[in-house]
Amino acid sequence: MSKDIGLFEAIYSQRAVRYLKPDPVPEATLLRLIECAVKAPSGGNSQPWKFLIIRDEELKKRISRHYRESWERVYGAKASSPPPLASGVRRSATHLAENMHTAPALILACIEHNGGPSSMGRGASIYPAVQNILLAARGLGLGSALTTLHKGFENEIKTLLGIPDNVETAALLPIGYIAEGDGYGPTRRRPVGEITFWDTWGRHNGSQD
Ligand SMILES: Cc1cc2nc3c(=O)[nH]c(=O)nc-3n(C[C@H](O)[C@H](O)[C@H](O)COP(=O)(O)O)c2cc1C
């Protein structure tokens, strides 16, 4: 069990951890992640989320096959114009694409809806919960990463897992203890001053003090 860490330490050091040990994660710990997830806000407190925890080896393999195929098509050998990725991200994301099934658990975060196209508003009621899972994993000494490449095979994955039509999958999170060599730490982000405007778009100077 990891030592308790503070909120800001968790926020500042949370990052994508893609090298995971296959050791099982206790059920109570997985449920703790979901408990933290549902503390998140949702539109009108509608709580339209459902979380599918997948531990079955065959199901993990089949989902991972889809995930890997999607990776190959978007970033890998089958991509016609792969988006640029920093070499470290490419290396670790390739590792995850090749080894997703070895994570002891996958959490598929889903959202119920009334039909209609996928939208930012819909996502706004599930991604805060996903971020809570990532932060809770950080706090519990587990690794994870927000992934969405499975969406390339949304229908196949929904059929495989018996997910109804009025449910959209939002994120696939591998969960496991962190493998040697990987870990949490400082993240590289654009400076706050560069991406913050005050009162008017483009105005960087907010100093009134
Ligand atoms: C919308 C979204 C989709 C993502 N999809 C994937 C994915 O499919 N596979 C993956 O390995 N990482 C995925 N990531 C993780 C990002 O690559 C990661 O957050 C980013 O590189 C920053 O890395 P860091 O948190 O380690 O600093 C996704 C992140 C977001 C927010």
Side-chain angles (χ1 to χ4, degrees):
M1 187 50 95
S2 62
K3 72 173 174 57
D4 275 358
I5 61 167
L7 174 65
F8 288 95
E9 184 183 351
I11 291 173
Y12 277 69
S13 61
Q14 195 285 322
R15 53 176 289 271
V17 172
R18 300 188 180 92
Y19 294 82
L20 302 171
K21 294 180 183 169
D23 313 26
V25 175
E27 209 160 295
T29 307
L30 292 169
L31 289 175
R32 183 89 195 279
L33 296 177
I34 308 302
E35 209 171 271
C36 292
V38 302
K39 298 299 176 193
S42 59
N45 202 19
S46 54
Q47 305 178 51
W49 41 54
K50 290 280 188 292
F51 301 90
L52 203 41
I53 302 177
I54 301 139
R55 293 184 298 181
D56 179 88
E57 293 299 332
E58 187 53 32
L59 289 175
K60 282 195 298 171
K61 275 189 194 141
R62 292 177 70 176
I63 292 166
S64 302
R65 250 177 255 137
H66 288 313
Y67 181 88
R68 184 172 180 170
E69 177 62 20
S70 214
W71 166 264
E72 291 297 337
R73 289 182 190 178
V74 178
Y75 291 101
K78 296 180 184 168
S80 46
S81 52
L85 275 182
S87 61
V89 177
R90 176 171 292 281
R91 200 167 36 248
S92 73
T94 302
H95 171 83
L96 180 61
E98 290 170 355
N99 296 281
M100 175 80 89
H101 60 285
T102 64
L106 305 177
I107 296 179
L108 188 62
C110 302
I111 184 158
E112 287 178 315
H113 57 83
N114 297 327
S118 186
S119 68
M120 191 177 319
R122 184 183 293 172
S125 282
I126 184 66
Y127 289 114
V130 170
Q131 175 69 5
N132 273 8
I133 293 178
L134 296 176
L135 287 171
R138 169 72 186 98
L140 292 166
L142 294 164
S144 189
L146 193 168
T147 82
T148 52
L149 280 169
H150 73 281
K151 297 281 291 175
F153 290 89
E154 173 87 0
N155 290 340
E156 290 83 350
I157 287 174
K158 282 177 63 174
T159 302
L160 177 67
L161 301 172
I163 298 173
D165 287 345
N166 68 323
V167 172
E168 181 173 356
T169 74
L172 181 66
L173 309 178
I175 304 285
Y177 294 105
I178 303 167
E180 199 119 338
D182 204 350
Y184 290 108
T187 46
R188 270 190 294 171
R189 300 291 188 261
R190 290 163 68 186
V192 169
E194 187 183 307
I195 49 88
T196 307
F197 302 144
W198 296 83
D199 296 323
T200 301
W201 185 266
R203 184 183 292 164
H204 286 287
N205 187 355
S207 178
Q208 293 181 346
D209 306 330

